[in-house]
């Protein structure tokens, strides 16, 4: 368990220092702020603006960022993976689960950090055709869906990692 937590902490630190994650958050926040200003000035409804943001900005950018971050989970360390497993008490499954867990934590944190303030600003400054309960319900409906998709992606990703580990071990 100590190896898992150490790997998880190190990978989370690396992800938060990554320019890709910073750029991803920036590319999600700037259009969100723009849409809040437009919705407030043009008297747009909050629900339509939130739906447009989710479909046009959040989903495409997030899938691109998730794909790149998932593919690069082991790629940057591929030249030392075989040696690290031989020299430390880290199993392959511990390493893989730490990588998958850190990616899930980052993805879901970015999702909530962007959508919760956006939802609040939309209900405050746009035409209020939504309720707080409806927005919370919508966010919580997307949350399990995102976890399911990411965990399925993680299972496919895990098979790819195992094949890569086997190739590095030869």
């Amino acid at each position: 368990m100590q190896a898992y937590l150490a790997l998880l902490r190190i990978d989370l630190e690396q992800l938060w220092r990554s320019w890709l994650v910073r750029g991803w958050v920036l590319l999600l926040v700037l259009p969100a702020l723009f849409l809040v200003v437009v919705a407030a000035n043009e008297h747009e409804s909050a629900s339509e603006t939130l739906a447009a943001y989710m479909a046009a900005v959040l989903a495409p950018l997030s899938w691109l960022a998730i794909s790149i971050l998932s593919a690069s989970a082991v790629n940057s360390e591929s030249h030392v993976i075989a040696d690290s497993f031989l020299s430390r008490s880290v199993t392959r499954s511990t390493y893989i689960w730490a990588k998958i867990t850190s990616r899930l934590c980052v993805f879901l944190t970015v999702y909530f950090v962007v959508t919760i303030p956006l939802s609040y600003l939309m209900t405050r400054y746009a035409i209020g055709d939504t309720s707080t309960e409806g927005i919370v319900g919508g966010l919580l409906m997307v949350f399990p869906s995102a976890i399911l998709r990411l965990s399925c992606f993680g299972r496919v990703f895990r098979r790819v990692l195992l094949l890569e580990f086997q190739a590095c071990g030869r």
Side-chain angles (χ1 to χ4, degrees):
M1 188 65 168
Q2 276 186 324
Y4 170 78
L5 292 175
L7 288 169
L8 180 66
R9 182 184 56 81
I10 289 168
D11 199 41
L12 283 172
E13 288 173 359
Q14 287 177 350
L15 282 172
W16 288 121
R17 286 192 312 246
S18 165
W19 282 103
L20 182 64
V21 173
R22 293 176 187 176
W24 177 32
V25 171
L26 186 67
L27 287 173
L28 291 176
V29 169
L30 291 177
L33 293 174
F34 175 75
L35 287 175
V36 168
V37 172
V38 168
N41 291 333
E42 299 295 325
H43 303 293
E44 297 284 330
S45 64
S47 61
E48 288 177 358
T49 309
L50 283 170
Y53 175 77
M54 297 290 178
V57 178
L58 185 72
L61 286 176
S62 294
W63 283 114
L64 180 65
I66 288 169
S67 299
I68 293 170
L69 287 172
S70 296
S72 68
V74 178
N75 192 23
S76 62
E77 304 165 356
S78 63
H79 59 284
V80 294
I81 287 176
D83 295 336
S84 67
F85 285 128
L86 294 174
S87 63
R88 295 188 182 123
S89 61
V90 176
T91 63
R92 290 180 180 171
S93 62
T94 302
Y95 181 78
I96 290 169
W97 281 113
K99 289 288 186 175
I100 290 172
T101 306
S102 67
R103 263 72 183 157
L104 278 172
C105 290
V106 168
F107 302 155
L108 295 174
T109 301
V110 167
Y111 170 73
F112 283 121
V113 163
V114 171
T115 56
I116 289 174
L118 175 64
S119 301
Y120 169 75
L121 292 172
M122 281 295 173
T123 57
R124 182 170 171 95
Y125 295 111
I127 295 175
D129 63 343
T130 60
S131 65
T132 304
E133 295 83 12
I135 290 179
V136 169
L139 291 176
L140 292 178
M141 277 192 277
V142 172
F143 181 70
S145 170
I147 287 182
L148 179 66
R149 286 184 191 141
L150 290 173
S151 63
C152 289
F153 189 69
R155 289 184 190 267
V156 171
F157 179 61
R158 180 177 179 216
R159 288 190 181 138
V160 171
L161 285 179
L162 286 174
L163 291 173
E164 190 171 320
F165 286 145
Q166 290 172 355
C168 289
R170 292 183 182 168

